[in-house]
Amino acid sequence: MSTWSPTSWKTKPITQDVRYEVQKEVEEVVAELGRLPPLVTSWEVERLRELVAEAQQGRRFLLQGGDCAESLSDCRPDIITNRQKIILQMSLVLIHGGHRPVIRVGRIAGQYAKPRSKPTETRGGVELPSYFGDLVNRPEFTPEARRADPRLMLDCYHHAAMTLNFVRSLSDGGFADVHHPEYWDLSFFQQAAVPGELREEYEQTTRKLSEALRFMEALGERTVADLTRVDFYTSHEGLNLHYESAQTRQVPWRQGWYDLTTHLPWIGERTRALDGAHVEFFRGIRNPVGVKLGPSVSPADAVRLAEQLNPDNEPGKLVLITRMGAQKVADALPPVVEAMRRAGRLVLWVCDPMHGNTVSTSSGIKTRNFDDVLHEVERSFDVHEQLGSYLGGVHFELTGEDVTECMGGAVGITEKDLERNYATLCDPRLNYRQALEMSFRIARRMSRLPRAPRP
C-alpha cells in the first residue's frame, strides 16, 4: 500500500468534490485551521476506540444521533441542550432494556457538510450549485450564497468549538431532570394508537428506571449525575477533506495521526470508492472510522473496504453503518455479514434505518415513516442473531425539537401535518417524542438479547 500522509488523498479521484474558485484562499484557510487548537483530543479518541472494541464484543451498545446537517444559526443553548437531552434520555432507556452500557455519540459540532445526489439544482429556470451544508455554501438560492466559500470552514470550526464547550459544560454539570423519567414528556404514550399492553410496558419501564436511579442515589449518598456522568462523543461525515486534513496532526507521546475535528468521522455511501480520496484519507488516521453501506454494496467490496481502512484488523477501529431500507435489509444484509465473518474482520455493526427509508409525498415533500425505520432496526437485529453476529448500535437523524418531518409513531403525524413545522435543511428527522418512542421500542427488542458477556 502506498505511503500515507494527511494530504495523500489529493492524488486520488474524489467524489462530492468541493469546487472552490480561488485555490489560494483555500490554502490560506487550511493553514489557519492547522494553527488553531484541536476540537477534540487524542486521549478522547483512544478512549472511544476502547469502547468501540468492547461494543464489537457485545459488551456495549452505540447510540449515534443528531441533525442531518447542522446549521450555524442553530448554535444556541436551547437547541444544543435539547439535542443532548434526547440522546441521554434515549440512552437510559436502552441501558434499561439492553442491560449493557451505551456509548453516546452525537452528530454534532461538525455535521456541517452534506453530500447531494446532484451537484446543481434548478428553480424557475435558474441553475445554481446545490447546497452542500454550511461548511461549503449557504442554503439561500442566490449565486452569492451558493458559491463555495472556504472562509466558511473557519466559521464552522469556531461554531463547533462553542458547541463543544457548551456540551462539555452540560456533561460536567449533569442533567438532573434527565435522570428522572417522571419529568420526561411521555404524554404521547396516552394516544389511542398505542395498544394498552404496550402503554403499560412503557409506564412500567419508566417506573423501574426511576426506582433504580433513586436507589443508586440513596445507596451512594451521591447524586445520580455523579453516578452516571458519562463521556459524550462527537461524529460527522468527513465530506470536506480540506477541513479534515487541516486539523489532522501527530501528538506528543503517541504514534500515528489523529483527525482532531471529531472523535468518530464516517465515510458516506456516495464517497466510499475503494480507490477514492475519502478511503485514502481515513485509512491513515487513528480515529475509529465509520462507513455507510447501502443495499448495492457487494460483500467482496465490503471486505476490501475493511481491509483498506483497518489493514491490521485492530479492535475498535472500524464501524460499519448499514442503511439498507426496511424492504431490502433481510436480503441485502446477510451476505455482507457472512462475508465479513468469513474474512475474520473485526467490525462494529450499526444500523442506520433512516437513509434507506426516505420517500416523497404526493406534493414532493421528503419524509420517512416511523414504522419503516423501526422495521429496519428490528430486522437487522434478527439478521445478526440468525447469523451469530451482534447488532451493536443504531444511527438516527433526530432532533430534540417538536418538528413535523417524519410520519407515524404514537404522535400520529400524517402527510397533511408535515408542513406544520418542517424545518430541516436537508433530510427529515425524528422529533423529540418520536425519538423517545423509538428508544422504548428498540429497548423492548434488546430485552430479548442474551446478557452482555463479561470482560
Side-chain angles (χ1 to χ4, degrees):
M1 195 172 284
S2 58
T3 302
W4 184 90
S5 77
T7 57
S8 60
W9 61 269
K10 294 181 178 181
T11 66
K12 302 288 184 177
I14 184 167
T15 52
Q16 299 286 320
D17 192 17
V18 180
R19 307 285 183 177
Y20 292 114
E21 295 175 0
V22 183
Q23 190 59 35
K24 186 178 179 184
E25 290 181 359
V26 179
E27 293 168 0
E28 290 171 351
V29 167
V30 167
E32 188 170 349
L33 282 170
R35 291 189 292 267
L36 292 170
L39 292 172
V40 303
T41 65
S42 62
W43 56 87
E44 291 170 334
V45 170
E46 289 295 339
R47 175 57 180 156
L48 180 57
R49 276 185 64 131
E50 293 173 5
L51 298 178
V52 170
E54 292 178 8
Q56 289 173 341
Q57 300 167 11
R59 291 164 48 201
R60 293 183 183 270
F61 192 81
L62 183 141
L63 171 64
Q64 188 174 9
D67 254 312
C68 60
E70 286 181 274
S71 167
L72 296 182
S73 62
D74 284 346
C75 187
R76 292 165 31 197
D78 55 334
I79 291 178
I80 296 168
T81 299
N82 287 340
R83 283 177 185 162
Q84 192 170 6
K85 178 179 177 179
I86 185 56
I87 292 177
L88 287 170
Q89 288 183 343
M90 291 176 73
S91 70
L92 287 175
V93 175
L94 295 177
I95 289 168
H96 184 270
H99 308 293
R100 64 202 75 204
V102 170
I103 309 166
R104 299 159 173 99
V105 180
R107 291 171 56 118
I108 195 169
Q111 185 55 20
Y112 297 115
K114 189 71 178 171
R116 304 313 298 260
S117 55
K118 296 179 181 178
T120 62
E121 67 171 303
T122 302
R123 298 185 193 176
V126 177
E127 184 178 22
L128 292 176
S130 295
Y131 170 61
F132 282 86
D134 283 1
L135 190 68
V136 177
N137 55 8
R138 296 290 194 181
E140 296 79 19
F141 195 74
T142 66
E144 297 76 22
R146 292 301 177 89
R147 172 184 174 270
D149 181 359
R151 300 295 299 179
L152 288 174
M153 288 190 279
L154 287 169
D155 288 347
C156 287
Y157 166 89
H158 291 297
H159 281 74
M162 288 186 284
T163 299
L164 271 170
N165 180 63
F166 188 54
V167 164
R168 285 171 170 143
S169 297
L170 289 172
S171 297
D172 288 343
F175 269 137
D177 64 324
V178 166
H179 303 294
H180 290 273
E182 66 271 27
Y183 300 156
W184 300 1
D185 179 6
L186 301 175
S187 59
F188 56 92
F189 288 163
Q190 303 305 320
Q191 298 288 332
V194 180
E197 180 184 348
L198 192 58
R199 185 184 304 124
E200 171 57 28
E201 187 177 324
Y202 290 154
E203 292 170 350
Q204 189 177 47
T205 296
T206 304
R207 286 195 300 270
K208 287 181 178 178
L209 194 50
S210 296
E211 291 165 3
L213 293 171
R214 286 198 192 94
F215 176 74
M216 289 169 64
E217 284 183 328
L219 187 66
E221 297 182 352
R222 300 164 64 193
T223 66
V224 174
D226 289 334
L227 289 165
T228 60
R229 182 168 287 126
V230 294
D231 294 326
F232 188 88
Y233 297 97
T234 67
S235 66
H236 64 247
E237 179 172 356
L239 187 71
N240 188 334
L241 296 180
H242 296 287
Y243 181 75
E244 305 301 325
S245 59
Q247 281 259 308
T248 297
R249 59 192 68 177
Q250 293 177 300
V251 299
W253 305 296
R254 292 191 189 275
Q255 301 221 335
W257 293 81
Y258 293 84
D259 178 356
L260 298 180
T261 66
T262 190
H263 301 106
L264 173 58
W266 77 81
I267 303 170
E269 166 75 358
R270 296 185 177 98
T271 53
R272 60 172 172 78
L274 288 162
D275 62 345
H278 289 83
V279 170
E280 169 63 22
F281 175 74
F282 288 109
R283 77 176 176 88
I285 60 173
R286 287 284 304 167
N287 306 58
V289 172
V291 187
K292 292 285 189 80
L293 300 178
S296 65
V297 67
S298 73
D301 278 353
V303 171
R304 281 193 285 269
L305 272 169
E307 291 170 346
Q308 285 190 224
L309 291 168
N310 189 16
D312 297 327
N313 207 21
E314 298 177 57
K317 170 64 179 177
L318 191 58
V319 180
L320 294 185
I321 308 167
T322 58
R323 36 161 291 179
M324 304 295 186
Q327 304 307 314
K328 297 180 180 179
V329 62
D331 295 323
L333 182 56
V336 179
V337 175
E338 273 289 282
M340 211 64 63
R341 183 190 62 79
R342 288 194 301 270
R345 307 305 301 183
L346 296 175
V347 302
L348 175 62
W349 293 101
V350 171
C351 174
D352 167 6
M354 305 295 288
H355 287 86
N357 295 304
T358 305
V359 296
S360 292
T361 66
S362 55
S363 57
I365 299 174
K366 280 202 304 185
T367 188
R368 289 152 176 162
N369 187 285
F370 182 95
D371 288 342
D372 290 339
V373 172
L374 176 62
H375 195 49
E376 180 164 356
V377 176
E378 291 178 333
R379 283 195 170 182
S380 296
F381 272 115
D382 293 342
V383 166
H384 284 284
E385 279 192 75
Q386 291 161 7
L387 297 177
S389 180
Y390 173 65
L391 179 62
V394 286
H395 180 129
F396 290 107
E397 289 186 339
L398 54 81
T399 177
E401 310 304 309
D402 191 24
V403 300
T404 54
E405 297 167 2
C406 292
M407 297 188 297
V411 293
I413 294 175
T414 63
E415 182 175 338
K416 68 176 182 294
D417 298 317
L418 293 177
E419 293 186 12
R420 195 171 73 235
N421 189 18
Y422 195 96
T424 183
L425 291 173
C426 292
D427 293 336
R429 304 160 294 175
L430 299 173
N431 64 25
Y432 169 81
R433 289 176 290 176
Q434 288 171 323
L436 194 53
E437 182 186 1
M438 185 66 68
S439 67
F440 275 87
R441 299 292 290 268
I442 295 172
R444 189 185 197 203
R445 178 62 179 80
M446 289 178 69
S447 67
R448 290 157 39 194
L449 295 173
R451 289 276 178 166
R454 300 181 68 84

